[in-house]
Amino acid sequence: MPAAPPAPIRLLDLPAQHAAIQPELDAALRRVMQEGAFIQGADVQLFADELGRYLGGARVVPCANGTDALQLALMSLALQPGDEVIVPAFTYVATAEAAAILGLRPVPADVDPGTFNLDPAAAEAAITPRTRAILCVHLYGQCADLTALRALADRHGLALIEDNAQAIGATWQMPDGAVAHAGTVGEVGTTSFFPSKNLGCLGDGGALLTRDEARATLLYELANHGQARGRKYVHQRLGLNSRLDTLQAALLRVKLRHLADWTAARQRVAAQYDALLADVPGLRTPQRQAGSSHVFHQYTLTLHSEARRDALQQHLQHHGVPSVVYYPVPVHRQPAYAYLGYGEGRFPVAEQLCRTVLSLPIHPGLTPEQVAYVAAAVRMVSW
Ligand SMILES: *Cc1c(COP(=O)(O)O)cnc(C)c1O
């Protein structure tokens, strides 16, 4: 392999992504500045409608960020303090935080070691008389087993919420053959437009997804001080001030037009990594969930041990290849969640993944030469 990367390799390259569409972004920015409606301007609803169409006709309610979206989704269920919400033990902290901040009890359940997503059998075992909802996550860009989770929720009279911050545009094959978009199978789906997400804005942003018109109205009110749409100073319920800025919506409208191409580019990078790394002893390339497409928010390897993972990360760093551990500590071992009372060893798959996963650079701007360089650097390490 060459001594140095063909061009500097970044985990993500937003400046390059923006440069490629600079005139479109500039025009949107200038237009919003001239129109002057910075809160709830026309672009917000236009973006919601366009994203809804992209997601197969879902209703989209924009909000301030993906964490608020989770909180609003749970608020729409009218739960009581102490009610339990099952969450995957391996996820970003926001998933559990949204439940905990509302006085609900996040109940972790272990994940599948191959797909990294909530294991339906573990979720079922975590159900108690106080369980009200299952909050699954489509981690790294592919769906959790939505057929099993939907059936489980229905069997026990629970709501299903999908944290779709990482899998926008991924699809799920329903048992009847229909194709559903990630985030539209549960009562509510949520997503995030944090800049590094597959569809990211230039700041914070998020949205709620639902197929239910009445719930869309409820979610809109919850995100807007409980105010009925179009009825200023009439507050139906307690809500949040959680809005997507007009400017972000205008920029997202531009980026949404490129999302399908960017997703295809991510899938090409992943396919090249798969081809170059599938046979390397001592590591496992990402496993696919049957029934789901994969939009590759992350391309995540699993190593045999923490020592090997850390050694590979150092080796890559030395060769100019950045990599990241998403996530080094499971939620139940975070200091803020000690009150839940889960000790080390309680969720062994999640804990082992925290020690052994490593995500390689993946973004639409990576060239085949750069991907080959990364793979060659990985292959230099042999155990
Ligand atoms: C990014 C992310 C969130 C939070 O989104 P924000 O917009 O940063 O609040 C929630 N869940 C998952 C799985 C995420 O990746």
Side-chain angles (χ1 to χ4, degrees):
M1 70 180 282
I9 293 171
R10 303 194 170 86
L11 281 169
L12 78 163
D13 196 347
L14 294 175
Q17 183 192 69
H18 295 155
I21 55 171
Q22 196 68 55
E24 290 174 82
L25 293 172
D26 286 348
L29 172 61
R30 207 170 317 114
R31 187 169 50 67
V32 172
M33 283 178 74
Q34 283 164 358
E35 288 172 3
F38 301 113
I39 301 293
Q40 303 293 42
D43 284 281
V44 178
Q45 190 56 47
L46 288 168
F47 168 64
D49 294 344
E50 288 161 9
L51 182 59
R53 274 199 291 283
Y54 187 85
L55 299 176
R59 289 292 314 265
V60 174
V61 179
C63 66
N65 58 69
T67 308
D68 275 11
L70 287 165
Q71 193 175 325
L72 290 159
L74 291 167
M75 286 168 73
S76 82
L77 301 178
L79 306 181
Q80 301 302 314
D83 282 351
E84 295 177 0
V85 179
I86 294 172
V87 298
F90 186 61
T91 179
Y92 182 57
V93 72
T95 313
E97 184 182 39
I101 207 85
L102 291 172
L104 307 170
R105 186 179 172 85
V107 175
D110 220 337
V111 297
D112 181 279
T115 65
F116 313 115
N117 275 326
L118 184 60
D119 174 356
E124 179 151 36
I127 292 173
T128 77
R130 294 225 61 174
T131 307
R132 296 290 175 270
I134 299 171
L135 202 185
C136 68
V137 179
H138 304 317
L139 202 70
Y140 303 153
Q142 73 176 341
C143 297
D145 185 341
L146 280 170
T147 296
L149 292 171
R150 180 71 270 178
L152 179 63
D154 289 346
R155 219 159 45 240
H156 293 268
L158 310 175
L160 178 64
I161 308 290
E162 299 171 65
D163 179 346
N164 194 32
Q166 300 191 4
I168 194 146
T171 54
W172 180 257
Q173 181 99 41
M174 301 296 285
D176 64 2
V179 173
H181 280 84
T184 69
V185 175
E187 275 75 2
V188 188
T190 67
T191 197
S192 163
F193 308 121
F194 186 85
S196 64
K197 305 288 155 112
N198 286 23
L199 178 62
C201 61
L202 277 65
D204 275 312
L208 294 131
L209 318 173
T210 181
R211 284 168 293 103
D212 179 340
E213 189 70 35
R215 193 178 293 279
T217 301
L218 171 59
L219 292 166
Y220 175 90
E221 292 178 6
L222 288 169
N224 290 275
H225 297 293
Q227 179 176 294
R229 197 190 283 264
R231 296 178 65 199
K232 220 173 178 189
Y233 304 123
V234 179
H235 300 275
Q236 306 281 18
R237 58 188 86 257
L238 299 183
L240 305 182
N241 171 10
S242 183
R243 298 178 293 225
L244 182 68
D245 291 347
T246 308
L247 183 53
Q248 300 299 350
L251 297 169
L252 284 164
R253 289 182 69 201
V254 171
K255 288 197 171 193
L256 180 59
R257 297 202 284 267
H258 301 275
L259 182 58
D261 287 345
W262 290 339
T263 299
R266 285 174 179 273
Q267 290 165 336
R268 275 198 298 279
V269 172
Q272 195 182 347
Y273 277 142
D274 277 349
L276 295 170
L277 296 175
D279 64 340
V280 179
L283 65 81
R284 193 172 61 197
T285 52
Q287 307 294 294
R288 305 303 161 79
Q289 166 68 52
S292 181
S293 70
H294 202 320
V295 297
F296 285 100
H297 177 60
Q298 299 298 337
Y299 186 93
T300 302
L301 302 175
T302 313
L303 283 297
H304 278 351
S305 70
E306 186 169 19
R308 287 179 177 185
R309 190 268 309 274
D310 294 349
L312 176 59
Q313 184 166 34
Q314 274 195 357
H315 162 83
L316 292 176
Q317 183 69 40
H318 183 73
H319 286 86
V321 177
S323 61
V324 210
V325 176
Y326 299 115
Y327 299 91
V329 179
V331 175
H332 69 280
R333 301 302 291 154
Q334 294 285 356
Y337 296 85
Y339 75 96
L340 294 173
Y342 300 111
E344 186 76 23
R346 180 66 193 276
F347 302 105
V349 179
E351 291 167 20
Q352 179 68 4
L353 289 174
C354 288
R355 289 189 283 266
T356 57
V357 289
L358 191 65
S359 295
L360 298 180
I362 188 161
H363 61 80
L366 281 180
T367 65
E369 292 71 30
Q370 288 176 311
V371 177
Y373 177 89
V374 173
V378 172
R379 293 182 68 103
M380 280 170 69
V381 179
S382 61
W383 287 292

